[in-house]
Amino acid sequence: MKVGFIGLGAMGSAMAGNLLAAGYALTVWNRSEATTRPLAAQGARVARSADRAAQGEVLCSMLADDRAVREVFLEGGVLDAMVKGSVHVNHATISVALAKELAEAHAAHGVDYIAAPVFGRPDIAAAAKLNILVAGSAAAVGRVRPLLEAMGSRLWPLAEAPERANVAKIAGNFMLATAIESMAEATALTRAHGVSAADFLDVMTNTLFAAPAYQGYGELIAGQRFKPAGFTLPLGLKDVELALTAGSAAHVPLPFAGVLRDSLLEALAAGDAELDWSSLALVAARRAHLDERG
Ligand code: NAP
C-alpha cells in the first residue's frame, strides 16, 4: 500500500517514522524541508510538493491548525490532487466546523475522510503508544486500521461523523488545560506558604490525583521543565479557543475556558511562546509575585 504523510512537526515526524518502521512505502512532505531528512534516512521518499505526496491509496496529515489544513488541502490543491477512492486521515486537532467542511469537500471529490486526532505527546508518538480517536465511514476506517495500529496503542472509534472525533479531542484537551491551570494555581499557593511545588505535587499525584495527566504535567511543573516544549503555549491557546468556539456554536458555556484563554494570553504576552503549556505555572507564580518574595 502506498502511503503519503504531510506535516512533519514534532508529532508528524514521530508518527511517520512508525509507519516506515512498520514497512509502509511512505512518501513525505513538509513545508520546511529540514524535518524530511531523518525520515529520508529511514527510507521515506521525499516529495517536492504536497500534491505529489497525495498520490497513494492513503494520505495521513498532521498539520498545526485549521489555517494550515485549509491552506494545504482546500486552497493549495492537495484534495484536488488525491486519487478518487483514496483515504485522507487527518490527525490534527482542528475545529468542529472545519471537520464538517472537510468531510463535505472530500465526499464531493470521491475521497474518504477520516478524523483521527490523537492523545499523547511527541515521546508517546515516537513509542507508537498514541490513543487515537477515530471517526469516519466504517469501510474506510477498516482500510486504514493497520496503519493506525502502527502509530497507536489503542483506537477509540466514535462513529461515522468525523467532527465527533474532533469535538472529543477538543474537550479532552480542555480537561488537560484545566488540570495544568489547577496545579499551577495550587502550587503558587503552597509555595507562598513554604511548601515547594515538588513536595506538594509528590503528595497529590501519588494519592488523589494519581492519573497520567496530573503525573506527567505535575513532573514538568515540579521540575520547571518547560523547554523543549512537547506542546507549545500557542498550540494550547489554539485548542482552548477551539473549545470556546465549539461551545458558542452549541450554546454551551465554558467559564473555565475563558480563564484558561486569559492565562495562555498572559504567558504569550510575557514572550514565552516557545515554552510548553505547563509553563502556565510561571503565570500563576508571577501573579503571586513569588520570585520577589525571596
Ligand atoms: P508542530 O511541531 O508545530 O508541527 C506543525 C506542523 O504543521 C509542521 O509540519 C509545520 O510545518 C506544519 N505547518 C504549520 N503551518 C503550515 C502551513 N501554513 N502550511 C503547511 N504546513 C504548515 O506541531 P505538533 O506538536 O506536531 O502538532 C501538530 C498537531 O497535533 C496540532 O494540531 C496539535 O494540536 C496536535 N497535537 C499535538 C500534540 C503534542 O503534544 N505536540 C499532542 C496531540 C495532538 P513547518 O515544519 O514548515 O513549520
Side-chain angles (χ1 to χ4, degrees):
M1 180 188 277
K2 275 195 198 159
V3 181
F5 206 112
I6 286 180
L8 306 169
M11 295 294 289
S13 289
M15 294 164 74
N18 284 325
L19 291 180
L20 285 168
Y24 287 99
L26 198 65
T27 303
V28 298
W29 178 83
N30 195 54
R31 179 179 59 176
S32 48
E33 196 234 335
T35 56
T36 62
R37 285 182 216 132
L39 292 163
Q42 286 174 62
R45 199 172 150 265
V46 178
R48 267 180 288 144
S49 59
D51 52 353
R52 291 189 188 205
Q55 306 298 317
E57 290 116 289
V58 179
L59 176 60
C60 299
S61 64
M62 190 42 147
L63 293 163
D65 52 18
D66 277 30
R67 189 173 148 195
V69 173
R70 185 175 288 288
E71 275 180 25
V72 171
F73 279 90
L74 300 180
E75 294 160 8
V78 170
L79 175 55
D80 289 336
M82 288 186 73
V83 180
K84 288 206 186 316
S86 63
V87 188
H88 174 198
V89 187
N90 186 353
H91 294 287
T93 307
I94 59 162
S95 69
V96 170
L98 182 59
K100 287 183 187 169
E101 187 183 336
L102 286 167
E104 281 170 21
H106 282 68
H109 276 81
V111 173
D112 279 305
Y113 179 71
I114 293 174
V118 304
F119 284 117
R121 290 160 63 92
D123 55 331
I124 300 291
K129 288 189 174 156
L130 293 169
N131 277 289
I132 308 181
L133 310 177
V134 190
S137 87
V141 171
R143 281 165 64 197
V144 301
R145 177 172 283 277
L147 278 96
L148 297 175
E149 284 172 349
M151 295 185 279
S153 60
R154 183 155 177 193
L155 310 187
W156 300 87
L158 289 167
E160 304 228 332
E163 68 272 15
R164 292 193 180 178
N166 294 102
V167 79
K169 169 64 190 169
I170 291 165
N173 269 22
F174 167 60
M175 291 176 69
L176 284 177
T178 59
I180 292 169
E181 177 70 16
S182 72
M183 286 192 285
E185 293 182 24
T187 52
L189 175 63
T190 63
R191 284 177 60 196
H193 291 276
V195 178
S196 73
D199 283 349
F200 169 66
L201 289 173
D202 193 28
V203 176
M204 300 315 291
T205 60
N206 284 296
T207 55
L208 298 172
F209 291 84
Y214 286 95
Q215 290 170 331
Y217 285 113
E219 233 177 85
L220 298 183
I221 291 171
Q224 303 261 301
R225 284 194 283 113
F226 306 128
K227 220 173 167 180
F231 189 72
T232 59
L233 286 161
L235 286 177
L237 178 62
K238 172 205 57 148
D239 287 357
V240 167
E241 287 181 333
L242 290 179
L244 285 164
T245 306
S248 295
H251 298 161
V252 180
L254 298 169
F256 281 6
V259 172
L260 290 165
R261 179 177 167 278
D262 284 342
S263 293
L264 288 159
L265 285 174
E266 199 172 323
L268 293 177
D272 285 346
E274 306 271 291
L275 299 188
D276 192 82
W277 68 338
S278 51
S279 67
L280 284 174
L282 297 178
V283 175
R286 268 197 304 270
R287 285 173 179 162
H289 296 269
L290 289 184
D291 289 340
E292 293 144 45
R293 295 186 190 211

